[in-house]
Amino acid sequence: MTASKPPPGGKSLGVIARPGDAIGILGGGQLGRMLAIAAADMGLDVHIFTPETDSPASRVARKTWVASWDDEAALTEFAASITVATIEFENVPVAASDLIEAQGKPMRPGGRTLARAQDRLAEKTFFREIGIEPAPFERIDGPDDIQPALDRLGGNGVLKSRFSGYDGKGQVRLKGKAPATAWADVGGAPSVLEAWIAHDREISVIAARSANGEFVAFDPPENDHSGGILRRSTFPSSASKAVLDEAKAMAHNLANALDYVGVLALELFLTKDGALLANEFAPRVHNSGHWTQDACRTGQFEQHIRAVCGWPLGDPTRWADGEMINLLGDDANGWEPALAEGAKLHLYGKRHAVDGRKMGHLVRLKPRA
Ligand code: ATP
Ligand code: MG
């Protein structure tokens, strides 16, 4: 056998897991499931840690630890079984991530990034520190803070709890709502008040950074939400090249500032006067990037696993245009017509279709314009 070629630039790629090794994923949802499938396709074993029984990811993994996030014995045993670990949702307690690192197993991303992503105030403050403009916001520690902050922000805003929001949960529009009611609606918890942005559209950048600082971004999609939940991503976005290049540069800046390893997503508002404002970032693969596995040479799940393992990043070139549609609740019953129509179907194996629950997605592809 000939020796393998040296990595580009002669830098060490820092391979930390090889085919045949086990990698860990914290969290058992659909993102973990699709990461596990991608990892298995590259010869890795996947071990899942999740408090949830019968989780979507556990059903495709080699081993699963079902235990609570503060079960140190279970976390220690899990850490001993793997080479490197990653997350599939950002609200994994930092202490659990730190415990795994203390066992000598790298966490990609690590606790510092998680802490920033878990607290909307820390996240938006960090954006400002690194020169990324977030939607204007104010810190809210009690109901009396709301009205003066709203006045300063121009009278139209959305109150968001600082911790553990997703899919629009823990958020309330202030339109015509008494501050005390809004405060109760977000659970009476520390919050931020954000100016409501009359945006032209929402786009997201899904990108990967490797341990040696290589950065590659997918073509940004354009995202439609309703009721705070992503319904559809259209790719590519029809925004100008200049806007999309700026969006990618913002994600690059963010990934460098976090010294990030893996795939991340940056959600952006494009305002009516053409400015990009950051909404939030996700230190993980992202719903608005699901189409990449069907429409690009390397999809986001494979890309994340490559980065986490210290392997060369893949080519993100897109070979199709199209749209990704989330199947929420009973939408998933439409799997048969979706297949008949020729769409690419992905179902997450969830047993119960609850209203608004992400059950699967489909991707409609057409030749690149
Ligand atoms: P997800 O988990 O889906 O990303 P989330 O709970 O973290 O959601 P956000 O991303 O903050 O919530 O908000 C969800 C959606 O609500 C946004 O994508 C956007 O459509 C709308 N939204 C949130 N904040 C604002 C704002 N300040 N101005 C205008 N629209 C907003
Ligand atoms: Mg969001």
Side-chain angles (χ1 to χ4, degrees), residues 261-276:
V261 179
V263 166
L264 58 65
L266 176 61
E267 299 178 14
L268 297 158
F269 297 121
L270 179 59
T271 67
K272 295 202 189 296
D273 17 326
L276 285 168

Side-chain angles (χ1 to χ4, degrees), residues 120 160 166-168 171 202 225 228 267 279-282 284 286:
R120 286 190 198 275
K160 302 183 176 182
Y166 71 98
D167 289 348
Q171 302 199 2
E202 288 186 67
H225 292 79
E267 299 178 14
N279 174 21
E280 59 177 353
F281 80 92
R284 52 167 168 77
H286 196 255

Side-chain angles (χ1 to χ4, degrees), residues 19 47 145 192 302 346:
H47 295 179
D145 293 346
V192 290
E302 175 180 338
H346 301 265

Side-chain angles (χ1 to χ4, degrees), residues 8 20 33 64 72 93 104 147 159 169 180 197 200 226 237 253 256 274 286 300 315 337:
R33 178 184 176 97
T64 301
E72 294 189 4
Q147 194 58 49
L159 188 65
K169 295 184 172 64
I197 306 297
D200 187 40
S226 80
S237 165
N253 174 13
N256 283 343
H286 196 255
Q300 64 166 349
D315 175 0

